[in-house]
Amino acid sequence: FWTWVPGMDQVVEMWNEENPGIQVTVEATPAGNAGTYSNLFNGLEAGTAPDLSQVEYDSLASFRLQDGLADVSACEGIADASGDFVEWTWSQVQLGSEGVYAIPQDTGPMALYYRSDLFEQAGITEPPATWEEYYQAARTLKEETGAFITHFPQGDANWFTGLLWQRGASLFGIDGDQVSVSVDSEEAKEVADYWQRMIDEELVATDLQGFSPDLYAAWNNGGVASWVSAAWGYSTIRDNAADTAGQWSVAPMPQWEEGDEAAGNWGGSTTAVLTSSDYPAEAAQFALWLNTDPEALAMANELGGLFPAANSGADVPALQEGVEFYNGENIFDVFREASEQVDTDFTWGPTMTDTYTAMSDGFTEALNGRGTLSDALDAAQQASVESLEAQGVTVAD
């Protein structure tokens, strides 16, 4: 079992103690696109791939295109497990079919982390409930405190896709053997134009990369006042902006229309059984246990910071409690609610790496004054179509 979740070896050790007839060996690997996926594709071709691997939702279709995922729907317990997981995650692992090609592991429902002290200093007494209010808050913060409301990273196309997800801007559609591409949809352009206005008016920092020392410094010194991010982001802020303990709060994502209830998702993974496995039934049994057993979920949350995809994950003790760094607020209540508001119909394409690359390259150009975010979506649309056609996939008109 290949995985990059910290502490997973201890979770597997618990399984091995309780199941002497099915022993699992765990191998710690780099994050998916940092090396694990390329090693998996090479291993599938050479016949040396593992039985199971952690695979992110947005990469499942790529492995399915290469016939790398085993359909475990006929394995014991799998067919009855759909109700055990947050609804949208189960639809993700079915890949538009009746099969089941992975077991949901964790999710990244999105919300708004914000510096409540800076907002109050600017006279903003309530977190923005709509994106228009967020824009107005950005103007007020800049005028009153000099802070940017957030940063717009050049390389995080995955983050931007979470924003598109909330807007209902699905990038792909799958109908039988045909794939439709809608990266440049009207809804996607609306999101791009919104952030382009924020960039043009210099309301967001455009020189800070995600997960960088410069960004962490801006969080610590009050230069950046909020971050629209996933449930797992709570520890990113906590661990890298220690000077701001007690100054952050969490609120739902701003909505496009007042009264809407929609959330995006950024990140999250599955446990997939690969077609190279000689023990698919046993592997599926382990994958199901790993992602539904209460003790396994609690340990994965404690050691690896996972926000479980299983419905029973809501009962993990740490997710029931207030978080000291966030002024004792029970921030996970916000993320549980957000998880229920994620669109179940969002579809990933079979060549997401190429889509993300084109989108990120276009964002870099836009942030450096060469083109716009809307242009980046146009480029990603074209690159996605060309990539699919190069793979022999029929692209719908």
Side-chain angles (χ1 to χ4, degrees), residues 99 210 341 349 389 391:
Q341 297 169 349
E389 290 177 341
Q391 294 280 349

Side-chain angles (χ1 to χ4, degrees), residues 146-147 199 249 265 364:
I199 292 167
S249 293
N265 184 82
T364 299

Side-chain angles (χ1 to χ4, degrees), residues 1-5 27-44 49-50 52-56 59 63 274:
F1 172 40
W2 288 6
T3 177
W4 54 88
V5 176
E27 181 174 335
T29 62
N33 286 316
T36 293
Y37 293 157
S38 59
N39 290 337
L40 284 175
F41 283 124
N42 292 336
L44 286 166
L52 310 99
S53 181
Q54 180 179 352
V55 178
E56 293 158 294
S59 295
F63 281 92
L274 304 178

Side-chain angles (χ1 to χ4, degrees), residues 185-236:
S185 68
E186 180 180 337
E187 293 84 1
K189 289 295 187 78
E190 183 178 357
V191 178
D193 290 345
Y194 173 87
W195 287 96
Q196 188 66 53
R197 178 173 63 159
M198 298 277 270
I199 292 167
D200 292 344
E201 297 185 20
E202 300 182 353
L203 299 176
V204 296
T206 57
D207 59 347
L208 300 174
Q209 297 309 310
F211 311 100
S212 68
D214 288 343
L215 174 61
Y216 302 149
W219 284 344
N220 273 301
N221 65 29
V224 170
S226 74
W227 187 31
V228 181
S229 187
W232 44 261
Y234 87 97
S235 60
T236 306

Side-chain angles (χ1 to χ4, degrees), residues 82-329:
S82 62
D84 295 338
F85 296 90
V86 176
E87 184 180 359
W88 71 264
T89 65
W90 196 257
S91 66
Q92 293 284 310
V93 300
Q94 290 192 292
L95 296 170
S97 74
E98 296 298 318
V100 177
Y101 294 94
I103 303 300
Q105 173 182 280
D106 68 308
T107 65
M110 298 174 74
L112 174 66
Y113 297 89
Y114 67 101
R115 283 281 300 271
S116 51
D117 61 324
L118 293 178
F119 274 57
E120 290 172 7
Q121 183 181 332
I124 305 169
T125 58
E126 296 289 337
T130 66
W131 285 111
E132 176 59 28
E133 290 180 12
Y134 190 72
Y135 165 74
Q136 296 297 338
R139 296 183 60 180
T140 302
L141 274 166
K142 191 73 178 296
E143 292 169 2
E144 299 296 330
T145 70
F148 293 109
I149 196 167
T150 192
H151 69 294
F152 193 100
Q154 294 183 13
D156 283 342
N158 314 57
W159 166 77
F160 191 80
T161 300
L163 304 179
L164 298 181
W165 195 333
Q166 185 209 23
R167 187 64 187 91
S170 190
L171 306 181
F172 297 89
I174 299 176
D175 185 6
D177 295 331
Q178 291 193 335
V179 176
S180 60
V181 185
S182 54
V183 177
D184 62 350
S185 68
E186 180 180 337
E187 293 84 1
K189 289 295 187 78
E190 183 178 357
V191 178
D193 290 345
Y194 173 87
W195 287 96
Q196 188 66 53
R197 178 173 63 159
M198 298 277 270
I199 292 167
D200 292 344
E201 297 185 20
E202 300 182 353
L203 299 176
V204 296
T206 57
D207 59 347
L208 300 174
Q209 297 309 310
F211 311 100
S212 68
D214 288 343
L215 174 61
Y216 302 149
W219 284 344
N220 273 301
N221 65 29
V224 170
S226 74
W227 187 31
V228 181
S229 187
W232 44 261
Y234 87 97
S235 60
T236 306
I237 298 175
R238 179 198 64 194
D239 297 343
N240 296 286
D243 294 345
T244 61
Q247 297 172 348
W248 290 86
S249 293
V250 177
M253 283 183 81
Q255 300 295 308
W256 286 97
E257 298 291 341
E258 188 173 354
D260 283 354
E261 294 183 341
N265 184 82
W266 179 16
S269 296
T270 70
T271 308
V273 179
L274 304 178
T275 50
S276 54
S277 176
D278 292 329
Y279 309 99
E282 291 84 355
Q285 185 179 342
F286 164 74
L288 190 59
W289 171 88
L290 179 68
N291 296 305
T292 58
D293 180 82
E295 288 187 65
L297 294 177
M299 188 177 291
N301 170 260
E302 178 185 357
L303 299 175
L306 298 186
F307 189 79
N311 292 324
S312 59
D315 298 326
V316 170
L319 301 182
Q320 299 286 326
E321 304 167 356
V323 181
E324 183 178 355
F325 182 88
Y326 293 89
N327 231 357
E329 295 178 17

